[in-house]
Amino acid sequence: MAIHVKNLNYYYGDFPALKNVTFSVATGNFFIIIGPNGSGKTTLLKVMAGILKSQTDQLEILNRPVDHYSRKALARTIAFVPQMIPVDFPFSVTEIVLMGRSPYLGMLGLEQEKDLEIAKQALTFTGVEHLAHRKLDQLSGGEQQRVFVAKAICQEPEIILLDEPTASLDLAHQVRLMDLMEKLKNERGITVVMVSHDVNLAAMYGDRLLLLDKGEIVNLGAPKEVLTFQTLEQVYGCTLLVDESPLGNSPRVTPVPRKYMT
Ligand code: ADP
Ligand code: MG
């Protein structure tokens, strides 16, 4: 198992953001967490990344309790790509990507030739090598997103966690990013855990989907099992059509505008 979460409860003050959440992510899976706004997706991802700590959970990463990892060891295992990319971040693309090497550097924190090579490869992999010398604030949202994905790849993790990485991307870049994650999974055996609120992308790429609502697991399984009409209407509270994608083999969800209802 790449990740095992057992009986997880997470409170902000006395507000329960996650309630008794138990599930596993198999190694090498593309695992996508979906659910309405405020359902606890980001909180769950941050707990999995070791950024938020709950008192009640048992979290295992690669079959070892998370407390058994040093910070560096955890950073060599899991990379986290946050949803909000810091706006005021005065670094060049190369500098940012090289930050992904910090869990591997010695006491002096100096990069070796090998680290520079890995950084270069990560930039090529995400298609932003031509931006290497640019400053982050001179890039578009989509380019910034790919730079942070390159940083995560540079970390050479076994698991990569991403919070709504396609939210600010146009259609072409959405598919490119999802294809990139699929490639990481297929070519490097990396486990990809992504939060998305795009159920159609989730249906096309996810091996397994976890549907959260109000901090609880509603459904967990293959896209066809999770994205059913009954479940989605209940969770999202709106009228939907669910049929098969024209590409076949995955469900397609269409929200129905009011003017089409009789
Ligand atoms: P999602 O990512 O699914 O939109 P979040 O995990 O961000 O949901 O939030 C889950 C719930 O926890 C929401 O009701 C949100 O308002 C609340 N919440 C998130 N962060 C905080 C915080 N720092 N303090 C208090 N409440 C929070
Ligand atoms: Mg969120």
Side-chain angles (χ1 to χ4, degrees), residues 41-42 83 163-164 195:
K41 304 182 296 298
T42 295
Q83 181 177 16
D163 196 354
E164 298 199 14
V195 165

Side-chain angles (χ1 to χ4, degrees), residues 75-82 96-101 103-104 118-119 122-123 125-126 144-162 181 184 188 190:
R76 288 191 292 257
T77 309
I78 294 196
F80 176 66
V81 181
I96 290 164
V97 173
L98 274 173
M99 287 173 195
R101 295 307 297 163
Y104 296 93
I118 291 169
L123 287 173
F125 196 83
T126 57
Q144 291 183 353
Q145 198 79 53
R146 279 185 286 154
V147 169
F148 279 88
V149 172
K151 170 175 176 272
I153 291 171
C154 203
Q155 234 170 295
E156 296 189 307
E158 297 186 51
I159 302 165
I160 181 164
L161 309 176
L162 306 102
M181 290 304 128
L184 274 181
R188 304 195 184 184
I190 292 180

Side-chain angles (χ1 to χ4, degrees), residues 31-32 34 199 202-203 206-211 219-223 226-227:
F31 189 94
I32 305 186
I34 57 173
V199 290
D207 294 314
R208 288 174 75 74
L209 308 186
L210 184 152
L211 174 62
N219 231 333
L220 171 61
V226 173
L227 300 177

Side-chain angles (χ1 to χ4, degrees), residues 12 15 17 35-44 83 163-164 195 212:
Y12 292 109
F15 173 76
N37 294 337
S39 55
K41 304 182 296 298
T42 295
T43 306
L44 180 56
Q83 181 177 16
D163 196 354
E164 298 199 14
V195 165
L212 272 184

Side-chain angles (χ1 to χ4, degrees), residues 9 23 69 87 101 185 201 224 226 250:
N9 293 284
F23 67 97
Y69 286 81
V87 270
R101 295 307 297 163
K185 177 190 104 164
L201 280 181
K224 269 184 188 163
V226 173
S250 69

